[in-house]
Amino acid sequence: MDADYSQIELRVLAHIADDKNMIEAFKNGLDIHASTAAKVFGLPEEMITPELRSRAKAVNFGIVYGISAFSLSKDIGVSVKEADRYIKGYLSLYSGIDKYMKTVVEQAKNDGYVTTMFGRRRYLPELSSSNRNIRSFGERVAMNMPIQGTAADIIKIAMIRVFERLRKENMRSRLILQVHDELIVEAPEDEAERAAELLSEEMSNAVKLSIELAADAGVGKTWYDAKN
C-alpha cells in the first residue's frame, strides 16, 4: 500500500496564513494550480492551458521559498518583468499569504527563530548577518520552515498513528517506509484492502487543519504498481 499527501505544503500554508481565497479553493475541491492561474491571468478556468497551469504551479510552490522574479523567470521561461507581474498578481490574490510572509520574517528577526505548528524551532542567526546574501537566505528559511517543517511533523504523526492502528487491530501488515510525504505499508493479500483503508484514514486524520488533508492509498505488488 502506498499513500501520499496531496499538496500538503500548500494546505499547511493556507491554514497557517489563514488565507481565505486558498482555503475556499481547497474546500471547494478546485484544482489549486488551475484556479490560481485563472485568477492571476484573468481568464476563465476552462481557458487555462497546461502551460499557464504549470506557470501558476511554479508560483504556488516557489512563493513560500521567497522566490524572486529573476529565479521564477528562469524556471518558467518568461521575462523578469512578466515573472514579477505573476508574483504581484499572486500576492494580491492571496493577501493572507503575503501578510504571513512579511509577519513571519519580522517575528523571526525579533525572536531569532521560527517554529512549526507543533513548536519545533529552527534558530536563524543568519538574519543578523552583515552579509546581505546570508540575511536573504535567513529570510527565505523563515518563510519556508514553518510550512515545510509542519508538513514534516504531520507525516511523523501519521507514521505513529498508522503503526499503532495496525498493532491495535492485530494485523500482520507493517509500516515499512516513509518517503517525503508518503507512507508505504507491506501487507498480506488478505489484509490489503483493510490496510489501504486504514492507511488513508489515519493519514487524512493525523491533524485537524482548517482544510482537510487528502491521502489516497494505492495497492500493488510493487511500490511502482501501488503508485500507478
Side-chain angles (χ1 to χ4, degrees):
M1 286 76 252
D2 173 274
D4 63 343
Y5 280 118
S6 172
Q7 300 169 332
I8 187 171
E9 289 187 15
L10 288 179
R11 291 171 191 267
V12 168
L13 172 61
H15 173 81
I16 288 180
D18 193 27
D19 189 282
K20 305 304 181 189
N21 282 340
M22 188 171 281
I23 289 171
E24 184 181 3
F26 275 121
K27 282 186 173 179
N28 291 333
L30 301 179
D31 176 335
I32 193 69
H33 303 310
S35 176
T36 297
K39 292 184 173 70
V40 170
F41 303 132
L43 295 169
E45 199 163 321
E46 59 270 18
M47 291 181 65
I48 297 302
T49 63
E51 182 182 9
L52 290 177
R53 183 184 182 279
S54 179
R55 290 180 182 181
K57 184 177 180 179
V59 182
N60 267 329
F61 285 120
I63 205 80
V64 79
Y65 291 90
I67 195 167
S68 66
F70 177 78
S71 294
L72 181 62
S73 71
K74 293 288 185 186
D75 288 347
I76 63 177
V78 298
S79 68
V80 175
K81 185 176 180 180
E82 194 170 357
D84 183 60
R85 186 159 52 85
Y86 293 165
I87 291 172
K88 286 176 178 172
Y90 179 96
L91 294 176
S92 175
L93 170 63
Y94 298 125
S95 57
I97 292 171
D98 186 27
K99 181 181 177 183
Y100 157 76
M101 293 198 301
K102 291 171 181 172
T103 301
V104 76
V105 170
E106 288 308 309
Q107 189 70 41
K109 287 177 180 176
N110 290 331
D111 296 340
Y113 60 84
V114 285
T115 66
T116 68
M117 261 178 60
F118 303 96
R120 189 160 55 86
R121 292 184 182 182
R122 172 161 176 172
Y123 287 88
L124 290 168
E126 295 90 346
L127 290 173
S128 57
S129 172
S130 58
N131 184 302
R132 186 168 67 88
N133 289 335
I134 294 175
R135 280 200 314 277
S136 294
F137 168 77
E139 289 174 2
R140 291 196 298 275
V141 173
M143 294 178 205
N144 177 251
M145 185 274 177
I147 308 305
Q148 198 170 46
T150 295
D153 291 345
I154 290 171
I155 194 75
K156 290 177 178 65
I157 292 166
M159 288 170 69
I160 293 167
R161 287 180 62 127
V162 170
F163 171 80
E164 290 181 343
R165 181 82 177 276
L166 290 171
R167 187 170 57 177
K168 181 181 177 182
E169 298 198 9
N170 295 314
M171 295 176 69
R172 290 167 291 151
S173 306
R174 293 290 179 265
L175 177 65
I176 60 169
L177 197 62
Q178 175 248 331
V179 184
H180 301 299
D181 59 358
E182 66 186 282
L183 297 182
I184 300 170
V185 167
E186 192 170 64
E189 285 193 18
D190 62 331
E191 287 187 0
E193 188 175 333
R194 179 65 187 139
E197 288 174 359
L198 183 154
L199 179 60
S200 179
E201 186 179 316
E202 292 300 336
M203 287 179 69
S204 297
N205 293 289
V207 298
K208 296 297 181 188
L209 303 179
S210 51
I211 41 184
E212 291 181 358
L213 292 172
D216 294 324
V219 179
K221 291 283 188 182
T222 67
W223 182 16
Y224 179 85
D225 291 339
K227 288 188 72 67
N228 291 278

